Amino acid sequence: DSFFSTTSDADKQPFTTWLLTDNASSYDHTTFLSTTAEPTKGMATFWKITDDTFHVAFATMATGWAAFGVAEAGGMFGADVVSFTTANPTALVDGYILDDRQVRVDTSQDWTLISSVVEDGWIIVEATRKLDTGDTQDNTLKNDKELWGAPSRVIAAWGDTEF
């Protein structure tokens, strides 16, 4: 795989195992959201849309937390995010970001955790959510594969400290 290209095969083992055995091939799309400082480090993201459900998987080298979001403007402001912490590996936090760049917890938790891997410095998460939750604190996700729609912008963040 071309993701995390400067990471040794031994250090990449949890990610490689997930790629080969945990349904990475079931996703229709993938991209690597790199850091500006180190383009070979970042978050591998996989997604698909089935009927009215958005499926996402994200993987990064971190020991504390990871978050994925859909951002209408491409930045943090107005982003709809899902967060995962290693301190609570059986739960997700549905949130949103306003102008203060702080994640606020959504009053309606609309994400479902499908699976998580926390191993050897890796966080790998699979989750689902309805495209339209009917929740005013969630952005309605769109299937932007049609030519007439603007593409969705995604953001990612992760860290090694408690969230």
Side-chain angles (χ1 to χ4, degrees), residues 50-101:
T50 306
D51 299 322
D52 65 345
T53 303
F54 178 70
H55 304 257
V56 67
F58 49 92
T60 192
M61 294 178 73
T63 58
W65 59 275
F68 169 85
V70 177
E72 293 175 342
M76 291 178 68
F77 178 73
D80 187 356
V81 298
V82 58
S83 304
F84 173 88
T85 65
T86 58
N88 190 4
T90 60
L92 295 171
V93 176
D94 186 352
Y96 60 98
I97 302 173
L98 297 177
D99 58 358
D100 59 2
R101 294 184 154 194

Side-chain angles (χ1 to χ4, degrees), residues 49-146:
I49 294 174
T50 306
D51 299 322
D52 65 345
T53 303
F54 178 70
H55 304 257
V56 67
F58 49 92
T60 192
M61 294 178 73
T63 58
W65 59 275
F68 169 85
V70 177
E72 293 175 342
M76 291 178 68
F77 178 73
D80 187 356
V81 298
V82 58
S83 304
F84 173 88
T85 65
T86 58
N88 190 4
T90 60
L92 295 171
V93 176
D94 186 352
Y96 60 98
I97 302 173
L98 297 177
D99 58 358
D100 59 2
R101 294 184 154 194
Q102 297 294 317
V103 176
R104 298 171 190 261
V105 176
D106 195 327
T107 54
S108 176
Q109 294 295 297
D110 297 305
W111 284 93
T112 301
L113 180 65
I114 303 302
S115 70
S116 67
V117 175
V118 176
E119 182 183 337
D120 295 335
W122 284 88
I123 296 172
I124 304 169
V125 175
E126 290 187 88
T128 61
R129 196 198 92 174
K130 295 288 183 197
L131 294 174
D132 185 353
T133 64
D135 179 356
T136 59
Q137 294 173 323
D138 286 337
N139 292 336
T140 299
L141 305 177
K142 298 177 184 88
N143 188 346
D144 58 12
K145 72 178 182 179
E146 285 80 24

Side-chain angles (χ1 to χ4, degrees), residues 22-46:
D22 291 331
N23 300 318
S25 63
S26 72
Y27 293 92
D28 297 331
H29 308 282
T30 185
T31 194
F32 189 73
L33 304 169
S34 65
T35 67
T36 305
E38 290 190 66
T40 60
K41 299 202 182 226
M43 181 180 284
T45 308
F46 305 80

